Amino acid sequence: MPIKRTGFILLLILAAGTGCGPKYIESSLPHELEKHSVQEVGLIPFVVEPKTTGEIRSGTVGEGASQIITDQFYRRLTARHITVIRWEGPEPAPSGGETEPLSDLQRAKQIGKLLNTSTVLLGSVTTFVEREGTALGIQRPASVGFTVQLIHAEDGHLLWKAVYHETQKSLMEDISAFRLFFKRGSRWLTAAELSEDGVERLMAVSPWAKMKAD
């Protein structure tokens, strides 16, 4: 028994030294950001990212996922006193007889003009899988993945891009998630709770990271 206890204590010490756990996010802030104001943002509803030819995904996107993540970004931005103008109209259509869907840049330019905002936030959801089980025990954990982009609609500059993807893991699967697991209340999150946490973590590396939230 003493050996097991010593081993457990050593495990905790090692876990504490791993920091905040695995990095589930990627983020880039180009230098051009300093030239633009991000105090007012046009928010385009997130979309489900279409599969590319031959792509095999690890998860699916559950119904309502795009709206959930759009609303989560809206709340996080307004909590930092950012003026957010939501786009609630139809998706802009290609012009000139083109059949290909608009690129993110084209969507940002058109909708930014309609909203009269120079900066537009948009994104796509790649994975939104609900947990199977309860907060105390699961058969399958929640899994969430999405990409967000902040585009200056007037000149087309990409001001910020970030990717989040996480499938919640137990400590037995990944001891480096020690602090993160306990920060989340030592429980299994729903997909919406996991995406909420992901949005907040992306905000911490966003252009609004230094702005204090209410």
Side-chain angles (χ1 to χ4, degrees):
M1 184 67 69
I3 294 177
K4 291 184 178 180
R5 182 176 298 176
T6 301
F8 180 69
I9 294 173
L10 179 61
L11 193 61
L12 293 183
I13 293 173
L14 290 173
T18 60
C20 295
K23 183 178 180 181
Y24 300 115
I25 63 176
E26 297 178 8
S27 176
S28 62
L29 286 169
H31 296 297
E32 289 83 359
L33 178 64
E34 299 175 359
K35 303 176 184 178
H36 305 289
S37 172
V38 291
Q39 291 298 120
E40 182 178 278
V41 178
L43 178 61
I44 303 177
F46 277 55
V47 298
V48 176
E49 184 174 297
K51 289 184 179 181
T52 58
T53 304
E55 178 187 7
I56 300 176
R57 288 186 180 171
S58 58
T60 58
V61 178
E63 186 177 353
S66 299
Q67 187 65 50
I68 289 171
I69 296 175
T70 302
D71 291 343
Q72 289 170 344
F73 268 102
Y74 176 80
R75 290 194 297 269
R76 296 296 185 181
L77 288 166
T78 55
R80 288 166 170 80
H81 304 286
I82 305 301
T83 301
V84 183
I85 305 173
R86 301 183 67 151
W87 173 252
E88 297 179 349
E91 275 289 309
S95 58
E98 296 181 6
T99 57
E100 291 292 322
L102 297 180
S103 67
D104 290 338
L105 177 57
Q106 291 171 323
R107 292 172 65 220
K109 283 186 173 181
Q110 288 197 26
I111 294 178
K113 185 176 181 180
L114 292 169
L115 292 177
N116 195 29
T117 59
S118 61
T119 308
V120 172
L121 187 75
L122 70 164
S124 57
V125 185
T126 56
T127 305
F128 197 89
V129 179
E130 190 56 86
R131 75 182 183 199
E132 291 182 1
T134 68
L136 299 179
I138 50 94
Q139 290 78 51
R140 182 185 69 185
S143 182
V144 173
F146 57 85
T147 298
V148 59
Q149 297 181 80
L150 181 67
I151 295 176
H152 191 261
E154 294 177 0
D155 58 25
H157 277 142
L158 177 64
L159 303 181
W160 175 54
K161 181 176 181 179
V163 179
Y164 167 79
H165 192 283
E166 179 181 0
T167 299
Q168 192 177 11
K169 296 181 179 179
S170 69
L171 295 182
M172 295 296 292
E173 294 175 292
D174 194 342
I175 190 60
S176 67
F178 177 81
R179 290 186 180 179
L180 184 60
F181 187 78
F182 284 96
K183 183 181 179 181
R184 291 170 169 172
S186 306
R187 64 190 182 88
W188 295 99
L189 304 183
T190 64
E193 290 171 333
L194 190 60
S195 64
E196 182 82 42
D197 189 64
V199 169
E200 180 58 25
R201 292 169 68 188
L202 287 192
M203 291 298 291
V205 295
S206 75
W208 309 281
K210 296 181 180 180
M211 298 179 185
K212 187 177 180 180
D214 291 334

